[in-house]
Amino acid sequence: EAQVTQNPRYLITVTGKKLTVTCSQNMNHEYMSWYRQDPGLGLRQIYYSMNVEVTDKGDVPEGYKVSRKEKRNFPLILESPSPNQTSLYFCASSEDLTDGYEQYFGPGTRLTVT
Amino acid sequence: AQSVTQPDIHITVSEGASLELRCNYSYGATPYLFWYVQSPGQGLQLLLKYFSGDTLVQGIKGFEAEFKRSQSSFNLRKPSVHWSDAAEYFCAVYSWGKLQFGAGTQVVVTP
């Protein structure tokens, strides 16, 4: 089954404790992206990757890191989480967004930073 | 910079009635436009998209949207809503590797 998986689905952590949210897709997609969703703000892009070893900042990259060492995986790293990073996070992938291909979204990771 | 505005934060509609969700965008060229739906506790699912051709686009679940360049709009419509259409709907515009989302419209369907 074609899908985007994220782990963990729920995470409660404390300020400053490094964490990684994994994202994996099995569709051989070139493009992958991370978003955060906050009430009243919709989804805002954190980082995106056009291909392996190619990443770029989205609209809200501060406090986040990503890497794209292999095509299928695109982990999101919070080196020192803060309470304002409490949010719902979505990973997405697409064959080629430049041609208007559909983005497939993962189920989301709800992160709480206390 | 591009932007997407969904003027209605919340819409309540009766089952069987028609639904129209508004989306306005700000973008210099012809944009790639999308509508996504998010059911409670779920990820986002693509309803339809537009990037060229016929300005009336048909999507899944009986939805359609019309691109109007003169009004910078891409409104989503459904002639007769079902209770299962209760969800949050997001309009989005693509440009230069980024997908910019509107703030969303929450749709409540009453019996």
Side-chain angles (χ1 to χ4, degrees):
Chain A
E1 179 190 355
Q3 60 183 352
V4 178
T5 56
Q6 295 178 227
N7 283 292
R9 294 289 312 279
Y10 301 91
L11 179 59
I12 300 174
T13 190
V14 297
T15 299
K17 185 177 181 181
K18 181 179 178 180
L19 67 91
T20 299
V21 183
T22 64
C23 172
S24 183
Q25 50 93 3
N26 62 0
M27 295 168 278
N28 200 38
H29 283 168
E30 304 277 340
Y31 181 98
M32 297 186 75
S33 181
W34 275 103
Y35 299 88
R36 61 177 289 173
Q37 183 179 18
D38 302 290
L41 297 176
L43 280 82
R44 293 178 292 168
Q45 192 172 43
I46 303 171
Y47 270 94
Y48 64 97
S49 170
M50 293 285 204
N51 211 329
V52 175
E53 301 293 0
V54 179
T55 63
D56 209 344
K57 295 178 181 179
D59 295 318
V60 288
E62 294 77 21
Y64 304 94
K65 285 176 56 177
V66 292
S67 68
R68 187 94 183 271
K69 292 183 168 50
E70 19 173 23
K71 202 172 190 179
R72 64 182 292 122
N73 296 323
F74 191 45
L76 180 69
I77 303 157
L78 284 73
E79 295 271 3
S80 182
S82 62
N84 64 14
Q85 292 177 300
T86 292
S87 188
L88 179 59
Y89 291 86
F90 287 100
C91 181
S93 74
S94 174
E95 186 168 341
D96 182 354
L97 206 59
T98 58
D99 283 336
Y101 284 98
E102 175 180 358
Q103 274 200 105
Y104 292 84
F105 284 80
T109 295
R110 186 165 292 282
L111 172 65
T112 302
V113 183
T114 60
Chain B
Q2 71 207 48
S3 66
V4 181
T5 303
Q6 293 181 245
D8 304 304
I9 297 171
H10 188 273
I11 284 180
T12 299
V13 60
S14 299
E15 193 168 13
S18 64
L19 174 68
E20 181 167 13
L21 304 182
R22 296 183 291 164
C23 173
N24 294 99
Y25 65 90
S26 172
Y27 185 63
T30 300
Y32 292 172
L33 294 159
F34 303 82
W35 274 101
Y36 283 85
V37 60
Q38 184 180 31
S39 298
Q42 303 293 314
L44 279 76
Q45 182 183 21
L46 180 69
L47 285 175
L48 47 78
K49 62 184 179 184
Y50 171 82
F51 49 97
S52 66
D54 193 346
T55 56
L56 186 62
V57 181
Q58 302 298 320
I60 63 171
K61 305 186 180 190
F63 284 91
E64 66 177 27
E66 186 171 14
F67 170 62
K68 292 185 177 180
R69 185 190 304 277
S70 62
Q71 298 177 18
S72 296
S73 69
F74 189 55
N75 294 348
L76 182 71
R77 297 192 293 254
K78 185 168 184 177
S80 176
V81 299
H82 186 262
W83 63 266
S84 60
D85 294 322
E88 190 158 21
Y89 293 79
F90 294 94
C91 182
V93 60
Y94 167 80
S95 125
W96 296 103
K98 300 181 183 180
L99 196 61
Q100 183 108 22
F101 284 84
T105 299
Q106 186 73 45
V107 172
V108 173
V109 180
T110 59

